[in-house]
Every structure is written in structure tokens, then in C-alpha cells.
Amino acid sequence: MDYRYVSDYQRLGFGLFVHYGLYSNLSKGEWAEYAFYQNRQAEYEKEISAFHPAEDWADQLCLTALSAHCRYIILTTRHHEGFSLYDTCGLSDFDAPHSACHRDLIREYVDACRRHGLLPVFYHTVIDWHSPLSKGQKWDEYFDYLRKSIAILCQNYGPIGGIWFDGTWGLPQGVNFPADIYTMIHHYQPHAMVINNTGLTALGAKGASQEIDGVTFERGKAFPVQPGSRPIVGEVCDAITDHWGYAENDLSQKSPRELVNILLDARGAGCNLVLNVGPKADGTVPTLEKEILKKIGLFLATNHDVVLRYPLSSLKTENAEIYHDEKTDTYYAVIRNVGMLLDQNVTFGSENRNVVLADGKVLDGYWLDNNEPIDVIEEGKAFRVRPFRYGVSLGARIAAFHLGDKK
Ligand code: GLC
């Protein structure tokens, strides 16, 4: 088996996660139907006649992803409400072509991703509050509907980055997701990632099927994934806010600095991060979230090769992760929580930390964000952590250095 597509996906490192559906019209999060419309499903589903994304929503989404240096997007093609953003080709009339916009939004999304050099990945849920088959617990028939739905996604949009399943954790005890659906995906799309989100309670759990290419850490801390008989990617999914779908009364936007640290945590464990935004009714990402993503892009502007491209090195130090670019034999130390210094009245944490190397001697080095040399001390066994100069405070700093005398 050629698993190159798995390492290719891992090398992408950072993706944008997007929850968009009828719930976006209601501005109360993606579980709005469940939370507020119990026994009023028909009323909820009327939103289909008001669902009308802006013409350029997909292009704008791609530009937002690029502003943060994301290299792939995972978009909800169908969430728990059961509404599909794609043309279900007669399987259901609860899809975007039957909504007010009369468009196939997945076609627009895939085309836009290709124009912008981003890899399109499809989120698809297994939970379905709309389908009478799922509601009636007619599992064989429901899984057949699901199988046909996934076949459409695999056959109609050209090569895709993967299918990212959610909601298998919501199936009743004793009901198992049919693994032939995973096999079918690889049959149509040999290079597509098959991922199954194991939810909040089973972070990093490996799937039973050999077809599953990844493990997930939903809103959690990743740990390095041990390859078994085949390579597997770890991926953290987290959201800028508490909700995944747009919620206007959610004030919990994480700071860019916190998000940069979430990204560094994931990469430090050898995993990807896919960071979520919930577009509003017209498909546009809320301004605040857009600005936050731009700030992450600011951090990555000088650091993206280290954080998103180079592998971790086996070099050990305390208080830094070390990445290594084999081509130039350059090492990079990522140091978190670096303060800023001018004089004692405007200081955020003066630095008296050192990065101490367990093996090898530092020959020379410089800070990536301003090209200033690092202060090598203790005869090359360590260097000092320099705070940011006044005017810049990026949270984490990266030092590039070369080693002499490697053991
Ligand atoms: C949870 C939520 C779901 C969301 C998913 C994203 O499973 O139930 O709404 O889509 O997380 O990872």
C-alpha cells in the first residue's frame, strides 16, 4: 500500500474547519435545532427557504483560510440537522439545490479551493435528525442512504482531500457504522484521507478499520500517535469560539496568542490542527474571527516553514521544541511565553531563561522574527532567551541555529 497521501496530509499541518448550514441562519450554534426546536422540526426546516449564501462566499472563505496560512479546509457537507450543502442527486430534497439559493455549494467550495491552492476536505455526519430512516432506527436502510450520499461526494467533485466523519459516537449501543463505506471511499478516491472523529471522550483513539487514516483530538491536547502496522495522522480540532456553528451571543473568542499555542502544541506532538470558524447566514466569516485568523497569519508569516514544514528533531532540551530542516541542517527552537522588554515600567516578563542543549554545541544562530543573533553561552551548550523588543509581542519566538560537534 502506498500511504504517501497520509504523510502529505500531515505535512499540510494546519487547516480551517468550517461549520456552515441552516443553523447559520439562526445564529445560535450548530445544535440549535436540538436545543430550541424539539417537536418543532418543521419550523426549523423552513430555514431552507431563506438559505442564500453570497455569490463569492467560497472564494472569501479561501482567502480567509490563506490569511492564516491554512493549507486545507474541512467544510460540513452535511451536519446533524441532515441538510446537505451538495446536490444529493435525487436522494433527498433537503439539500442546497432545493434551498433559496438553488446552487450546489460543495461544487462552489471545491472549485474555489482549487483556484486558491487549498485542499478541500468534506466533513460528513452520521447523526441525522432529518432522515425518517435514522429517526425510525431503520439502520440498514439509513446506512444505505448514507452510503449513497458518500458515493456522490466521492464521484462528483474530482479528487478530494478526504472525508471526515463525525457522529459515529452518537450511534446507539450495538449499532456499528458499516466499515464498507470507508473501503468505498478509498475505492473511488485512493488518496483521500478517511478520518473518524472519536469525539470528546475518546481522544486519540484508533479506529478498528484498517482504512482509517487518522485519529482525532477534539478540543483536546494531542499526544504523539504511535504508528502501528501503517502510518496514521493525528489531528486536533478546536474552535475559535465555544460553538462550532455561528452563535451571535458567544463572546468566547480565544486570543490569537492562545491559538498560536494550540497550534504549537499540536505540531509539537506531530499532529495537525484544524481550527474552526462558523460563517454567518450569508456564508461570510464574522469580522472578529477574520481578524483573529489574520493575527495567526502574522505569527506564521516568518515562522510557517518551521511550524508547518519541518519535522521535529530528536534533539532534547527543556522549555523548547526543536524542529530540524535536513536540507540546510538547521535546527529551530520554538520557545513559548516570551515576554517583551523596554524599560522596567513597560515590561512583560523579563527573561532569564536559557535553552540548554543536551547534545551538540551551538555554533551560531539568529531569531527568526528579527534576524538578530542569539546569545550563545556556556561554551555553546546553551543560549539565552531574549524577550521581544518593545513594539512586538508574538507570544512565542523561534531561534534558528546550527550545531557543531554533534554526538
Ligand atoms: C462535536 C459536535 C459537533 C461538531 C464536532 C466538530 O462532535 O457535536 O457539532 O461538528 O464536534 O468536531
Side-chain angles (χ1 to χ4, degrees), residues 17 19 23 30-31 76 79-80 123 125 127 129 164-167 169 197-200 216 218-219 237-238 243-245 274 276:
F17 204 0
H19 277 66
Y23 46 81
E30 83 287 359
W31 278 64
T76 49
H79 202 263
H80 311 339
Y123 166 109
T125 188
I127 297 172
W129 299 325
W164 200 99
F165 286 103
D166 187 27
W169 40 261
N197 177 26
T198 46
L200 291 165
T216 62
E218 180 175 332
R219 292 192 196 268
C237 58
D238 210 331
H243 298 79
W244 301 88
V274 58
N276 183 77

PDB file of all heavy atoms in Angstrom, residues 17 19 23 30-31 76 79-80 123 125 127 129 164-167 169 197-200 216 218-219 237-238 243-245 274 276, ligand 1:
ATOM      1  N   PHE A  17     -11.403  24.743   9.734  1.00  0.00           N
ATOM      2  CA  PHE A  17     -12.591  23.923   9.876  1.00  0.00           C
ATOM      3  C   PHE A  17     -13.784  24.878   9.739  1.00  0.00           C
ATOM      4  O   PHE A  17     -13.737  25.992  10.274  1.00  0.00           O
ATOM      5  CB  PHE A  17     -12.567  23.301  11.278  1.00  0.00           C
ATOM      6  CG  PHE A  17     -13.347  22.025  11.451  1.00  0.00           C
ATOM      7  CD1 PHE A  17     -14.050  21.442  10.415  1.00  0.00           C
ATOM      8  CD2 PHE A  17     -13.360  21.401  12.694  1.00  0.00           C
ATOM      9  CE1 PHE A  17     -14.747  20.260  10.610  1.00  0.00           C
ATOM     10  CE2 PHE A  17     -14.055  20.218  12.902  1.00  0.00           C
ATOM     11  CZ  PHE A  17     -14.749  19.648  11.854  1.00  0.00           C
ATOM     12  N   HIS A  19     -18.058  25.199   9.882  1.00  0.00           N
ATOM     13  CA  HIS A  19     -19.411  24.676  10.116  1.00  0.00           C
ATOM     14  C   HIS A  19     -20.413  25.645   9.522  1.00  0.00           C
ATOM     15  O   HIS A  19     -20.581  26.759  10.019  1.00  0.00           O
ATOM     16  CB  HIS A  19     -19.658  24.503  11.625  1.00  0.00           C
ATOM     17  CG  HIS A  19     -19.113  23.223  12.173  1.00  0.00           C
ATOM     18  ND1 HIS A  19     -17.781  22.946  12.224  1.00  0.00           N
ATOM     19  CD2 HIS A  19     -19.750  22.130  12.688  1.00  0.00           C
ATOM     20  CE1 HIS A  19     -17.599  21.733  12.752  1.00  0.00           C
ATOM     21  NE2 HIS A  19     -18.781  21.224  13.042  1.00  0.00           N
ATOM     22  N   TYR A  23     -28.437  26.134  10.298  1.00  0.00           N
ATOM     23  CA  TYR A  23     -28.260  26.706  11.648  1.00  0.00           C
ATOM     24  C   TYR A  23     -27.549  28.053  11.600  1.00  0.00           C
ATOM     25  O   TYR A  23     -27.726  28.882  12.482  1.00  0.00           O
ATOM     26  CB  TYR A  23     -27.498  25.728  12.560  1.00  0.00           C
ATOM     27  CG  TYR A  23     -26.281  25.108  11.907  1.00  0.00           C
ATOM     28  CD1 TYR A  23     -25.073  25.806  11.849  1.00  0.00           C
ATOM     29  CD2 TYR A  23     -26.343  23.850  11.307  1.00  0.00           C
ATOM     30  CE1 TYR A  23     -23.960  25.257  11.229  1.00  0.00           C
ATOM     31  CE2 TYR A  23     -25.234  23.297  10.683  1.00  0.00           C
ATOM     32  CZ  TYR A  23     -24.046  23.997  10.639  1.00  0.00           C
ATOM     33  OH  TYR A  23     -22.954  23.467  10.021  1.00  0.00           O
ATOM     34  N   GLU A  30     -24.557  25.256  16.033  1.00  0.00           N
ATOM     35  CA  GLU A  30     -24.952  24.184  15.107  1.00  0.00           C
ATOM     36  C   GLU A  30     -25.892  23.153  15.722  1.00  0.00           C
ATOM     37  O   GLU A  30     -26.483  22.364  14.997  1.00  0.00           O
ATOM     38  CB  GLU A  30     -23.692  23.530  14.507  1.00  0.00           C
ATOM     39  CG  GLU A  30     -23.027  22.462  15.359  1.00  0.00           C
ATOM     40  CD  GLU A  30     -22.284  23.004  16.580  1.00  0.00           C
ATOM     41  OE1 GLU A  30     -22.259  24.237  16.787  1.00  0.00           O
ATOM     42  OE2 GLU A  30     -21.750  22.183  17.350  1.00  0.00           O
ATOM     43  N   TRP A  31     -26.047  23.192  17.043  1.00  0.00           N
ATOM     44  CA  TRP A  31     -27.003  22.294  17.689  1.00  0.00           C
ATOM     45  C   TRP A  31     -28.329  23.022  17.958  1.00  0.00           C
ATOM     46  O   TRP A  31     -29.114  22.603  18.811  1.00  0.00           O
ATOM     47  CB  TRP A  31     -26.426  21.723  18.990  1.00  0.00           C
ATOM     48  CG  TRP A  31     -25.513  20.537  18.793  1.00  0.00           C
ATOM     49  CD1 TRP A  31     -24.321  20.527  18.135  1.00  0.00           C
ATOM     50  CD2 TRP A  31     -25.731  19.186  19.250  1.00  0.00           C
ATOM     51  NE1 TRP A  31     -23.775  19.265  18.155  1.00  0.00           N
ATOM     52  CE2 TRP A  31     -24.615  18.414  18.839  1.00  0.00           C
ATOM     53  CE3 TRP A  31     -26.749  18.549  19.967  1.00  0.00           C
ATOM     54  CZ2 TRP A  31     -24.489  17.049  19.117  1.00  0.00           C
ATOM     55  CZ3 TRP A  31     -26.601  17.184  20.246  1.00  0.00           C
ATOM     56  CH2 TRP A  31     -25.491  16.449  19.820  1.00  0.00           C
ATOM     57  N   THR A  76     -18.378  21.358   6.475  1.00  0.00           N
ATOM     58  CA  THR A  76     -19.526  20.486   6.723  1.00  0.00           C
ATOM     59  C   THR A  76     -20.337  20.336   5.436  1.00  0.00           C
ATOM     60  O   THR A  76     -20.961  21.287   4.976  1.00  0.00           O
ATOM     61  CB  THR A  76     -20.456  21.091   7.794  1.00  0.00           C
ATOM     62  OG1 THR A  76     -20.705  22.470   7.449  1.00  0.00           O
ATOM     63  CG2 THR A  76     -19.832  21.030   9.173  1.00  0.00           C
ATOM     64  N   HIS A  79     -24.432  18.376   8.265  1.00  0.00           N
ATOM     65  CA  HIS A  79     -24.305  18.293   9.732  1.00  0.00           C
ATOM     66  C   HIS A  79     -25.539  17.603  10.302  1.00  0.00           C
ATOM     67  O   HIS A  79     -26.396  17.127   9.553  1.00  0.00           O
ATOM     68  CB  HIS A  79     -24.055  19.693  10.328  1.00  0.00           C
ATOM     69  CG  HIS A  79     -23.411  19.642  11.673  1.00  0.00           C
ATOM     70  ND1 HIS A  79     -24.121  19.740  12.842  1.00  0.00           N
ATOM     71  CD2 HIS A  79     -22.119  19.447  12.041  1.00  0.00           C
ATOM     72  CE1 HIS A  79     -23.282  19.615  13.872  1.00  0.00           C
ATOM     73  NE2 HIS A  79     -22.060  19.442  13.409  1.00  0.00           N
ATOM     74  N   HIS A  80     -25.638  17.537  11.635  1.00  0.00           N
ATOM     75  CA  HIS A  80     -26.663  16.709  12.270  1.00  0.00           C
ATOM     76  C   HIS A  80     -28.103  17.075  11.861  1.00  0.00           C
ATOM     77  O   HIS A  80     -28.998  16.247  11.927  1.00  0.00           O
ATOM     78  CB  HIS A  80     -26.562  16.781  13.802  1.00  0.00           C
ATOM     79  CG  HIS A  80     -25.176  16.559  14.351  1.00  0.00           C
ATOM     80  ND1 HIS A  80     -24.187  15.913  13.648  1.00  0.00           N
ATOM     81  CD2 HIS A  80     -24.620  16.897  15.543  1.00  0.00           C
ATOM     82  CE1 HIS A  80     -23.083  15.868  14.384  1.00  0.00           C
ATOM     83  NE2 HIS A  80     -23.315  16.459  15.538  1.00  0.00           N
ATOM     84  N   TYR A 123     -16.365  17.298   5.659  1.00  0.00           N
ATOM     85  CA  TYR A 123     -16.946  16.801   6.909  1.00  0.00           C
ATOM     86  C   TYR A 123     -18.295  16.185   6.558  1.00  0.00           C
ATOM     87  O   TYR A 123     -19.053  16.751   5.757  1.00  0.00           O
ATOM     88  CB  TYR A 123     -17.143  17.972   7.878  1.00  0.00           C
ATOM     89  CG  TYR A 123     -18.042  17.695   9.079  1.00  0.00           C
ATOM     90  CD1 TYR A 123     -17.498  17.590  10.359  1.00  0.00           C
ATOM     91  CD2 TYR A 123     -19.432  17.575   8.941  1.00  0.00           C
ATOM     92  CE1 TYR A 123     -18.314  17.351  11.465  1.00  0.00           C
ATOM     93  CE2 TYR A 123     -20.246  17.325  10.028  1.00  0.00           C
ATOM     94  CZ  TYR A 123     -19.679  17.217  11.289  1.00  0.00           C
ATOM     95  OH  TYR A 123     -20.498  16.988  12.374  1.00  0.00           O
ATOM     96  N   THR A 125     -21.583  14.083   8.679  1.00  0.00           N
ATOM     97  CA  THR A 125     -22.012  13.470   9.932  1.00  0.00           C
ATOM     98  C   THR A 125     -22.756  12.165   9.690  1.00  0.00           C
ATOM     99  O   THR A 125     -23.282  11.920   8.602  1.00  0.00           O
ATOM    100  CB  THR A 125     -22.902  14.421  10.745  1.00  0.00           C
ATOM    101  OG1 THR A 125     -23.135  13.822  12.032  1.00  0.00           O
ATOM    102  CG2 THR A 125     -24.226  14.660  10.056  1.00  0.00           C
ATOM    103  N   ILE A 127     -24.881  11.286  12.342  1.00  0.00           N
ATOM    104  CA  ILE A 127     -26.131  11.599  13.050  1.00  0.00           C
ATOM    105  C   ILE A 127     -27.041  12.346  12.067  1.00  0.00           C
ATOM    106  O   ILE A 127     -26.573  13.194  11.321  1.00  0.00           O
ATOM    107  CB  ILE A 127     -25.832  12.519  14.250  1.00  0.00           C
ATOM    108  CG1 ILE A 127     -24.944  11.789  15.245  1.00  0.00           C
ATOM    109  CG2 ILE A 127     -27.113  13.027  14.899  1.00  0.00           C
ATOM    110  CD1 ILE A 127     -24.436  12.679  16.358  1.00  0.00           C
ATOM    111  N   TRP A 129     -30.857  14.161  12.144  1.00  0.00           N
ATOM    112  CA  TRP A 129     -32.136  14.453  12.815  1.00  0.00           C
ATOM    113  C   TRP A 129     -33.278  14.605  11.817  1.00  0.00           C
ATOM    114  O   TRP A 129     -34.432  14.724  12.198  1.00  0.00           O
ATOM    115  CB  TRP A 129     -32.017  15.753  13.637  1.00  0.00           C
ATOM    116  CG  TRP A 129     -30.987  15.704  14.723  1.00  0.00           C
ATOM    117  CD1 TRP A 129     -30.642  14.625  15.487  1.00  0.00           C
ATOM    118  CD2 TRP A 129     -30.164  16.784  15.182  1.00  0.00           C
ATOM    119  NE1 TRP A 129     -29.667  14.964  16.385  1.00  0.00           N
ATOM    120  CE2 TRP A 129     -29.350  16.285  16.221  1.00  0.00           C
ATOM    121  CE3 TRP A 129     -30.031  18.139  14.824  1.00  0.00           C
ATOM    122  CZ2 TRP A 129     -28.422  17.082  16.910  1.00  0.00           C
ATOM    123  CZ3 TRP A 129     -29.112  18.930  15.511  1.00  0.00           C
ATOM    124  CH2 TRP A 129     -28.321  18.394  16.534  1.00  0.00           C
ATOM    125  N   TRP A 164     -14.230  13.362   6.437  1.00  0.00           N
ATOM    126  CA  TRP A 164     -14.004  13.477   7.888  1.00  0.00           C
ATOM    127  C   TRP A 164     -15.348  13.199   8.563  1.00  0.00           C
ATOM    128  O   TRP A 164     -16.243  14.033   8.525  1.00  0.00           O
ATOM    129  CB  TRP A 164     -13.539  14.903   8.157  1.00  0.00           C
ATOM    130  CG  TRP A 164     -12.811  15.214   9.409  1.00  0.00           C
ATOM    131  CD1 TRP A 164     -11.454  15.342   9.550  1.00  0.00           C
ATOM    132  CD2 TRP A 164     -13.373  15.546  10.697  1.00  0.00           C
ATOM    133  NE1 TRP A 164     -11.156  15.709  10.846  1.00  0.00           N
ATOM    134  CE2 TRP A 164     -12.302  15.833  11.560  1.00  0.00           C
ATOM    135  CE3 TRP A 164     -14.678  15.613  11.200  1.00  0.00           C
ATOM    136  CZ2 TRP A 164     -12.477  16.192  12.897  1.00  0.00           C
ATOM    137  CZ3 TRP A 164     -14.858  15.964  12.537  1.00  0.00           C
ATOM    138  CH2 TRP A 164     -13.772  16.242  13.369  1.00  0.00           C
ATOM    139  N   PHE A 165     -15.473  11.985   9.124  1.00  0.00           N
ATOM    140  CA  PHE A 165     -16.766  11.612   9.712  1.00  0.00           C
ATOM    141  C   PHE A 165     -16.894  12.107  11.141  1.00  0.00           C
ATOM    142  O   PHE A 165     -15.928  12.108  11.904  1.00  0.00           O
ATOM    143  CB  PHE A 165     -16.930  10.081   9.721  1.00  0.00           C
ATOM    144  CG  PHE A 165     -17.207   9.524   8.361  1.00  0.00           C
ATOM    145  CD1 PHE A 165     -16.216   8.901   7.631  1.00  0.00           C
ATOM    146  CD2 PHE A 165     -18.480   9.636   7.806  1.00  0.00           C
ATOM    147  CE1 PHE A 165     -16.469   8.391   6.364  1.00  0.00           C
ATOM    148  CE2 PHE A 165     -18.750   9.127   6.542  1.00  0.00           C
ATOM    149  CZ  PHE A 165     -17.731   8.504   5.825  1.00  0.00           C
ATOM    150  N   ASP A 166     -18.105  12.487  11.464  1.00  0.00           N
ATOM    151  CA  ASP A 166     -18.420  12.869  12.834  1.00  0.00           C
ATOM    152  C   ASP A 166     -19.687  12.131  13.222  1.00  0.00           C
ATOM    153  O   ASP A 166     -20.506  11.787  12.364  1.00  0.00           O
ATOM    154  CB  ASP A 166     -18.660  14.390  12.890  1.00  0.00           C
ATOM    155  CG  ASP A 166     -18.831  14.896  14.306  1.00  0.00           C
ATOM    156  OD1 ASP A 166     -18.300  14.266  15.248  1.00  0.00           O
ATOM    157  OD2 ASP A 166     -19.502  15.935  14.480  1.00  0.00           O
ATOM    158  N   GLY A 167     -19.847  11.892  14.495  1.00  0.00           N
ATOM    159  CA  GLY A 167     -21.126  11.398  14.992  1.00  0.00           C
ATOM    160  C   GLY A 167     -21.244   9.898  15.120  1.00  0.00           C
ATOM    161  O   GLY A 167     -22.298   9.414  15.540  1.00  0.00           O
ATOM    162  N   TRP A 169     -19.909   8.406  17.299  1.00  0.00           N
ATOM    163  CA  TRP A 169     -20.041   8.300  18.761  1.00  0.00           C
ATOM    164  C   TRP A 169     -21.508   8.406  19.209  1.00  0.00           C
ATOM    165  O   TRP A 169     -21.831   8.084  20.343  1.00  0.00           O
ATOM    166  CB  TRP A 169     -19.196   9.375  19.467  1.00  0.00           C
ATOM    167  CG  TRP A 169     -19.237  10.721  18.787  1.00  0.00           C
ATOM    168  CD1 TRP A 169     -18.300  11.226  17.935  1.00  0.00           C
ATOM    169  CD2 TRP A 169     -20.283  11.710  18.856  1.00  0.00           C
ATOM    170  NE1 TRP A 169     -18.679  12.454  17.472  1.00  0.00           N
ATOM    171  CE2 TRP A 169     -19.886  12.779  18.022  1.00  0.00           C
ATOM    172  CE3 TRP A 169     -21.499  11.804  19.536  1.00  0.00           C
ATOM    173  CZ2 TRP A 169     -20.672  13.924  17.854  1.00  0.00           C
ATOM    174  CZ3 TRP A 169     -22.280  12.948  19.368  1.00  0.00           C
ATOM    175  CH2 TRP A 169     -21.864  13.978  18.530  1.00  0.00           C
ATOM    176  N   ASN A 197     -13.995  11.150  13.605  1.00  0.00           N
ATOM    177  CA  ASN A 197     -13.852  11.903  14.854  1.00  0.00           C
ATOM    178  C   ASN A 197     -14.412  11.081  16.016  1.00  0.00           C
ATOM    179  O   ASN A 197     -15.595  10.765  16.045  1.00  0.00           O
ATOM    180  CB  ASN A 197     -14.605  13.233  14.743  1.00  0.00           C
ATOM    181  CG  ASN A 197     -14.562  14.021  16.040  1.00  0.00           C
ATOM    182  OD1 ASN A 197     -13.627  13.856  16.837  1.00  0.00           O
ATOM    183  ND2 ASN A 197     -15.566  14.852  16.262  1.00  0.00           N
ATOM    184  N   THR A 198     -13.530  10.760  16.956  1.00  0.00           N
ATOM    185  CA  THR A 198     -13.969   9.918  18.073  1.00  0.00           C
ATOM    186  C   THR A 198     -14.564  10.735  19.221  1.00  0.00           C
ATOM    187  O   THR A 198     -14.862  10.174  20.272  1.00  0.00           O
ATOM    188  CB  THR A 198     -12.799   9.046  18.568  1.00  0.00           C
ATOM    189  OG1 THR A 198     -11.631   9.868  18.698  1.00  0.00           O
ATOM    190  CG2 THR A 198     -12.505   7.925  17.590  1.00  0.00           C
ATOM    191  N   GLY A 199     -14.698  12.062  19.019  1.00  0.00           N
ATOM    192  CA  GLY A 199     -15.445  12.866  19.983  1.00  0.00           C
ATOM    193  C   GLY A 199     -14.663  13.230  21.231  1.00  0.00           C
ATOM    194  O   GLY A 199     -13.459  12.984  21.336  1.00  0.00           O
ATOM    195  N   LEU A 200     -15.384  13.797  22.183  1.00  0.00           N
ATOM    196  CA  LEU A 200     -14.735  14.373  23.368  1.00  0.00           C
ATOM    197  C   LEU A 200     -14.232  13.329  24.352  1.00  0.00           C
ATOM    198  O   LEU A 200     -13.368  13.617  25.173  1.00  0.00           O
ATOM    199  CB  LEU A 200     -15.730  15.301  24.082  1.00  0.00           C
ATOM    200  CG  LEU A 200     -16.073  16.593  23.336  1.00  0.00           C
ATOM    201  CD1 LEU A 200     -17.315  17.243  23.925  1.00  0.00           C
ATOM    202  CD2 LEU A 200     -14.896  17.560  23.384  1.00  0.00           C
ATOM    203  N   THR A 216      -8.324  11.598  16.062  1.00  0.00           N
ATOM    204  CA  THR A 216      -8.686  12.981  16.356  1.00  0.00           C
ATOM    205  C   THR A 216      -8.560  13.290  17.846  1.00  0.00           C
ATOM    206  O   THR A 216      -8.665  12.407  18.692  1.00  0.00           O
ATOM    207  CB  THR A 216     -10.146  13.264  15.926  1.00  0.00           C
ATOM    208  OG1 THR A 216     -11.011  12.412  16.686  1.00  0.00           O
ATOM    209  CG2 THR A 216     -10.352  13.017  14.451  1.00  0.00           C
ATOM    210  N   GLU A 218     -10.511  16.044  19.747  1.00  0.00           N
ATOM    211  CA  GLU A 218     -11.470  17.149  19.711  1.00  0.00           C
ATOM    212  C   GLU A 218     -11.301  18.040  20.934  1.00  0.00           C
ATOM    213  O   GLU A 218     -11.428  17.573  22.064  1.00  0.00           O
ATOM    214  CB  GLU A 218     -12.907  16.596  19.657  1.00  0.00           C
ATOM    215  CG  GLU A 218     -13.938  17.709  19.611  1.00  0.00           C
ATOM    216  CD  GLU A 218     -15.369  17.207  19.446  1.00  0.00           C
ATOM    217  OE1 GLU A 218     -15.571  16.132  18.862  1.00  0.00           O
ATOM    218  OE2 GLU A 218     -16.279  17.909  19.911  1.00  0.00           O
ATOM    219  N   ARG A 219     -10.988  19.308  20.697  1.00  0.00           N
ATOM    220  CA  ARG A 219     -10.769  20.310  21.743  1.00  0.00           C
ATOM    221  C   ARG A 219      -9.829  19.811  22.838  1.00  0.00           C
ATOM    222  O   ARG A 219     -10.000  20.124  24.017  1.00  0.00           O
ATOM    223  CB  ARG A 219     -12.082  20.715  22.406  1.00  0.00           C
ATOM    224  CG  ARG A 219     -13.044  21.487  21.502  1.00  0.00           C
ATOM    225  CD  ARG A 219     -14.143  22.076  22.361  1.00  0.00           C
ATOM    226  NE  ARG A 219     -15.292  22.521  21.644  1.00  0.00           N
ATOM    227  CZ  ARG A 219     -15.463  23.775  21.196  1.00  0.00           C
ATOM    228  NH1 ARG A 219     -14.548  24.684  21.374  1.00  0.00           N
ATOM    229  NH2 ARG A 219     -16.577  24.107  20.575  1.00  0.00           N
ATOM    230  N   CYS A 237      -8.903  19.044  16.557  1.00  0.00           N
ATOM    231  CA  CYS A 237      -9.854  20.027  16.052  1.00  0.00           C
ATOM    232  C   CYS A 237     -10.281  20.889  17.221  1.00  0.00           C
ATOM    233  O   CYS A 237     -10.529  20.397  18.321  1.00  0.00           O
ATOM    234  CB  CYS A 237     -11.039  19.380  15.346  1.00  0.00           C
ATOM    235  SG  CYS A 237     -12.000  18.231  16.327  1.00  0.00           S
ATOM    236  N   ASP A 238     -10.272  22.172  16.972  1.00  0.00           N
ATOM    237  CA  ASP A 238     -10.674  23.103  18.029  1.00  0.00           C
ATOM    238  C   ASP A 238     -11.361  24.278  17.343  1.00  0.00           C
ATOM    239  O   ASP A 238     -11.299  24.405  16.116  1.00  0.00           O
ATOM    240  CB  ASP A 238      -9.451  23.566  18.827  1.00  0.00           C
ATOM    241  CG  ASP A 238      -9.819  23.889  20.273  1.00  0.00           C
ATOM    242  OD1 ASP A 238     -10.982  24.286  20.525  1.00  0.00           O
ATOM    243  OD2 ASP A 238      -8.946  23.752  21.153  1.00  0.00           O
ATOM    244  N   HIS A 243     -18.862  27.606  20.315  1.00  0.00           N
ATOM    245  CA  HIS A 243     -19.715  26.898  19.352  1.00  0.00           C
ATOM    246  C   HIS A 243     -18.923  26.615  18.079  1.00  0.00           C
ATOM    247  O   HIS A 243     -17.964  27.311  17.775  1.00  0.00           O
ATOM    248  CB  HIS A 243     -20.930  27.743  18.972  1.00  0.00           C
ATOM    249  CG  HIS A 243     -21.832  28.063  20.127  1.00  0.00           C
ATOM    250  ND1 HIS A 243     -21.551  29.059  21.041  1.00  0.00           N
ATOM    251  CD2 HIS A 243     -23.004  27.522  20.523  1.00  0.00           C
ATOM    252  CE1 HIS A 243     -22.519  29.110  21.954  1.00  0.00           C
ATOM    253  NE2 HIS A 243     -23.405  28.186  21.664  1.00  0.00           N
ATOM    254  N   TRP A 244     -19.387  25.633  17.317  1.00  0.00           N
ATOM    255  CA  TRP A 244     -18.773  25.360  16.006  1.00  0.00           C
ATOM    256  C   TRP A 244     -19.530  26.133  14.924  1.00  0.00           C
ATOM    257  O   TRP A 244     -18.932  26.741  14.046  1.00  0.00           O
ATOM    258  CB  TRP A 244     -18.791  23.861  15.698  1.00  0.00           C
ATOM    259  CG  TRP A 244     -18.066  23.018  16.713  1.00  0.00           C
ATOM    260  CD1 TRP A 244     -18.592  22.491  17.858  1.00  0.00           C
ATOM    261  CD2 TRP A 244     -16.684  22.617  16.704  1.00  0.00           C
ATOM    262  NE1 TRP A 244     -17.628  21.782  18.546  1.00  0.00           N
ATOM    263  CE2 TRP A 244     -16.452  21.830  17.854  1.00  0.00           C
ATOM    264  CE3 TRP A 244     -15.623  22.823  15.819  1.00  0.00           C
ATOM    265  CZ2 TRP A 244     -15.201  21.268  18.155  1.00  0.00           C
ATOM    266  CZ3 TRP A 244     -14.387  22.250  16.108  1.00  0.00           C
ATOM    267  CH2 TRP A 244     -14.184  21.488  17.268  1.00  0.00           C
ATOM    268  N   GLY A 245     -20.845  26.116  15.011  1.00  0.00           N
ATOM    269  CA  GLY A 245     -21.652  26.920  14.091  1.00  0.00           C
ATOM    270  C   GLY A 245     -21.774  28.339  14.665  1.00  0.00           C
ATOM    271  O   GLY A 245     -21.632  28.545  15.879  1.00  0.00           O
ATOM    272  N   VAL A 274      -6.852  21.636  13.029  1.00  0.00           N
ATOM    273  CA  VAL A 274      -7.871  22.205  12.163  1.00  0.00           C
ATOM    274  C   VAL A 274      -8.734  23.096  13.052  1.00  0.00           C
ATOM    275  O   VAL A 274      -9.306  22.662  14.036  1.00  0.00           O
ATOM    276  CB  VAL A 274      -8.631  21.102  11.379  1.00  0.00           C
ATOM    277  CG1 VAL A 274      -9.282  20.085  12.267  1.00  0.00           C
ATOM    278  CG2 VAL A 274      -9.634  21.707  10.449  1.00  0.00           C
ATOM    279  N   ASN A 276     -11.630  25.915  13.819  1.00  0.00           N
ATOM    280  CA  ASN A 276     -12.974  26.163  13.290  1.00  0.00           C
ATOM    281  C   ASN A 276     -13.446  27.616  13.347  1.00  0.00           C
ATOM    282  O   ASN A 276     -13.224  28.321  14.330  1.00  0.00           O
ATOM    283  CB  ASN A 276     -13.977  25.321  14.079  1.00  0.00           C
ATOM    284  CG  ASN A 276     -15.387  25.460  13.535  1.00  0.00           C
ATOM    285  OD1 ASN A 276     -15.707  24.858  12.506  1.00  0.00           O
ATOM    286  ND2 ASN A 276     -16.224  26.254  14.182  1.00  0.00           N
TER     287      ASN A 276
HETATM  288  C1  GLC B   1     -18.863  17.658  18.114  1.00  0.00           C
HETATM  289  C2  GLC B   1     -20.205  18.341  17.913  1.00  0.00           C
HETATM  290  C3  GLC B   1     -20.412  18.767  16.520  1.00  0.00           C
HETATM  291  C4  GLC B   1     -19.208  19.296  15.825  1.00  0.00           C
HETATM  292  C5  GLC B   1     -17.989  18.431  16.091  1.00  0.00           C
HETATM  293  C6  GLC B   1     -16.742  19.019  15.496  1.00  0.00           C
HETATM  294  O1  GLC B   1     -18.884  16.343  17.718  1.00  0.00           O
HETATM  295  O2  GLC B   1     -21.290  17.508  18.265  1.00  0.00           O
HETATM  296  O3  GLC B   1     -21.454  19.675  16.471  1.00  0.00           O
HETATM  297  O4  GLC B   1     -19.466  19.270  14.486  1.00  0.00           O
HETATM  298  O5  GLC B   1     -17.824  18.254  17.429  1.00  0.00           O
HETATM  299  O6  GLC B   1     -15.630  18.292  15.846  1.00  0.00           O
END
